[in-house]
Amino acid sequence: DAGVIQSPRHEVTEMGQEVTLRCKPISGHNSLFWYRQTMMRGLELLIYFNNNVPIDDSGMPEDRFSAKMPNASFSTLKIQPSEPRDSAVYFCASSPGLSGDTQYFGPGTRLTVL
Amino acid sequence: GEDVEQSLFLSVREGDSSVINCTYTDSSSTYLYWYKQEPGAGLQLLTYIFSNMDMKQDQRLTVLLNKKDKHLSLRIADTQTGDSAIYFCAGDDYGSGNTGKLIFGQGTTLQVKP
């Protein structure tokens, strides 16, 4: 298996633009997680899905952030409009979703908002 | 909910042992994990321990779990420059059911000096 795939790997955009980050989880995994990592705040869980259903989005910073999982093999995280403080590395992770199962992380998308 | 805390930085000399510590608040976690993040990469599972174990050894890695004190540690023997990375401890979130959700600490940056 190719592992968790994220695209793009790097994104540079200007303040006010819409940004869409994409994730393909490992086939057969039931849970998908979106994280944000910054020097100041460390690793933060933004939202996670189980069987394509959002379970907990309490980590989403504000209404500018939204996430979807239309099917078991694809998820998006959208920021509209983007702001410089959104600059971070965004990770997607997937898990089989059973007790004791680990999470498998993608390589991350480094977002820079100018 | 679960809270996981780690010291932020550790510096050792090549060949020495490294000990990275972690404390957690919720003793209902079934599994506790150590992840490693190398520069520019996602988190990767290093090792884990089942909550009814006190110790687990895997080559140069030794995990110690003190459930009474809610303390987890990772010892790396004969530390090499390639071990320089950020190390995260994590516990499964028992309260979230079978979703694979984990609670991560802030991460400890291990610097290995030659």
Side-chain angles (χ1 to χ4, degrees), chain B residues 7-20 79-80 83-85 87 108-114:
Chain B
S7 53
L8 295 182
F9 187 78
L10 175 65
S11 180
V12 300
R13 291 239 173 251
E14 192 174 19
D16 289 349
S17 291
S18 306
V19 179
I20 303 171
T79 313
Q80 303 297 307
D83 295 324
S84 293
Y87 291 81
T108 299
T109 299
L110 175 64
Q111 179 190 64
V112 183
K113 296 179 180 178

Side-chain angles (χ1 to χ4, degrees), chain A residues 42-112:
Chain A
L43 188 70
E44 301 173 277
L45 175 65
L46 300 177
I47 185 172
Y48 74 101
F49 297 83
N50 183 247
N51 294 321
N52 311 338
V53 175
I55 302 299
D56 183 357
D57 65 354
S58 59
M60 296 286 258
E62 48 199 274
D63 292 345
R64 297 185 297 106
F65 285 69
S66 62
K68 293 182 180 178
M69 191 163 187
N71 57 61
S73 58
F74 184 66
S75 177
T76 59
L77 178 68
K78 186 177 293 187
I79 308 172
Q80 166 63 19
S82 59
E83 296 183 4
R85 60 193 167 121
D86 302 331
S87 297
V89 181
Y90 291 82
F91 289 104
C92 175
S94 71
S95 168
L98 300 177
S99 177
D101 281 324
T102 187
Q103 292 183 13
Y104 297 82
F105 279 73
T109 295
R110 181 172 294 276
L111 173 64
T112 303

